[in-house]
Amino acid sequence: MSKTGLILEGGAIRGIFTAGVLDYLIDHDVYFPYVAGVSVGVSNASGFISRQSGRSKKILMHENTRSFYGLPNILRTGKVLDLDECIFKYAYENFPYDFETFHKSESIWEAVVANCETGKAEYVSDFQSDDEALQFCKASCSLPFICKPVNIRGKKFLDGSLADSIPFQRALDCGCDKIVLILTKADLHEATDYKKLRFLVDFFYRRKYPHLADTILGRKDQYLRQMEEIEKMEKEGRAMIIRPDETTVAHFENNKEKLEKCYQDAYKLMERRFGELKAFMES
């Protein structure tokens, strides 16, 4: 019997698209034996594993809470992105995370993080506590330049997408035969080119984390190679790509009408492709 892995791309607030797709899958009792999330994909993955339909949407739209990103947050806290609030406070207070269901899940869930010392991706599932699981979520979501590296187990970590944006090979190495990939933008070949930001990369990381600096500068090339492989797998019937028809949401979008529309479009898209997904997973 084939084993299908689920891979969730990052993209900051564009993860609202992924939230819509996953909520439809939760509402229709779809499970995957292996799930990997990168950056905001980690947050989406955790909500999928805990089967909390609507939770990721509430977080990304900061429903009944103040914004944790963008200009409003800068004026209030001095931070572009307040991960402590959206990950820890939300998990324990605003939008309580269902740790009980998470622990009962039979799915393997891995958080992808970038090791600052080695510049390589690490895949973590052996969380020693609930708080540590949230720490790895924070690390995977910690964007370069605007977030400090997160210290866990004596290592420093940043955004997982810097080292492995589309961890399909990891899924294959873990025994998956096929991959369902949820992307957050329409253009499969759009990727941040950090070479254009070489000055910032060198200023922030070259001296202390030279391997990480090299990884960041090579990120776009790696992403394009990964997409070539995924498109090849799609033609071979070993991958299914789910992505928005058009990119309508910015990385730090605060327009709630746009966010709501993106979510609803994603939910309806998954509804239309549900039969295709079931056939793909069962083939």
Side-chain angles (χ1 to χ4, degrees):
M1 184 176 180
S2 63
K3 178 180 177 181
T4 305
L6 176 65
I7 306 297
L8 308 179
E9 186 186 29
I13 308 306
R14 289 178 179 173
I16 192 72
F17 175 83
T18 305
V21 172
L22 294 183
D23 282 353
Y24 185 89
L25 298 181
I26 293 172
D27 294 344
H28 291 80
D29 295 320
V30 176
Y31 295 81
F32 292 85
Y34 175 87
V35 182
V38 183
S39 195
V40 72
V42 169
S43 178
N44 279 318
S46 65
F48 182 72
I49 295 296
S50 66
R51 314 306 290 176
Q52 290 178 271
S53 180
R55 183 177 184 273
S56 291
K57 177 190 177 185
K58 291 177 180 178
I59 290 173
L60 292 171
M61 294 186 67
H62 43 91
E63 185 175 300
N64 299 322
T65 64
R66 57 196 180 189
S67 176
F68 59 86
Y69 59 88
L71 181 59
N73 199 65
I74 293 174
L75 297 175
R76 182 170 55 86
T77 68
K79 298 179 181 179
V80 176
L81 180 64
D82 190 347
L83 292 176
D84 287 321
E85 178 165 350
C86 77
I87 292 178
F88 292 95
K89 186 176 180 180
Y90 283 8
Y92 293 123
E93 298 179 23
N94 300 83
F95 311 114
Y97 186 69
D98 188 348
F99 287 104
E100 182 178 357
T101 299
F102 169 78
H103 291 302
K104 289 180 179 178
S105 175
E106 296 181 0
S107 299
I108 296 174
W109 172 60
E110 292 194 313
V112 184
V113 291
N115 184 310
C116 294
E117 294 286 348
T118 65
K120 296 181 179 181
E122 293 192 15
Y123 312 89
V124 189
S125 61
D126 60 332
F127 308 112
Q128 298 174 6
S129 66
D130 293 342
D131 194 68
E132 187 181 79
L134 295 178
Q135 285 283 359
F136 274 107
C137 283
K138 177 183 176 181
S140 190
C141 294
S142 292
L143 301 175
F145 312 135
I146 65 174
C147 295
K148 295 180 180 179
V150 180
N151 191 337
I152 312 172
R153 304 179 186 177
K155 299 179 182 179
K156 298 289 184 67
F157 299 103
L158 276 177
D159 183 356
S161 69
L162 298 174
D164 193 355
S165 300
I166 312 293
F168 71 93
Q169 186 59 52
R170 173 64 178 179
L172 297 176
D173 292 343
C174 288
C176 295
D177 306 295
K178 297 183 292 187
I179 305 296
V180 173
L181 172 63
I182 303 179
L183 302 179
T184 56
K185 53 187 180 296
D187 187 350
L188 297 183
H189 303 99
E190 177 191 343
T192 302
D193 187 357
Y194 286 105
K195 291 179 182 177
K196 296 179 180 179
L197 302 173
R198 182 181 294 272
F199 171 77
L200 289 177
V201 173
D202 289 343
F203 178 80
F204 278 91
Y205 306 115
R206 176 62 62 187
R207 185 173 181 179
K208 190 171 185 179
Y209 304 119
H211 295 300
L212 177 67
D214 290 339
T215 295
I216 294 174
L217 292 176
R219 191 258 181 179
K220 181 177 181 179
D221 292 336
Q222 181 209 52
Y223 183 89
L224 295 178
R225 288 195 298 270
Q226 288 182 318
M227 289 314 306
E228 287 180 2
E229 289 295 320
I230 285 293
E231 289 178 296
K232 180 181 178 182
M233 289 180 63
E234 185 181 39
K235 292 177 181 178
E236 296 171 347
R238 297 192 297 133
M240 179 175 176
I241 301 174
I242 301 170
R243 58 190 172 99
D245 295 327
E246 58 179 332
T247 304
T248 58
V249 172
H251 278 95
F252 289 103
E253 185 67 63
N254 252 318
N255 185 314
K256 292 196 174 184
E257 290 184 0
K258 287 185 178 181
L259 293 172
E260 179 67 34
K261 184 178 186 304
C262 184
Y263 173 87
Q264 295 298 337
D265 287 347
Y267 195 94
K268 293 174 184 176
L269 174 63
M270 193 64 258
E271 181 179 23
R272 294 194 301 271
R273 300 190 66 185
F274 190 55
E276 177 188 353
L277 174 67
K278 289 197 296 183
F280 174 77
M281 294 179 69
E282 294 170 359
S283 63

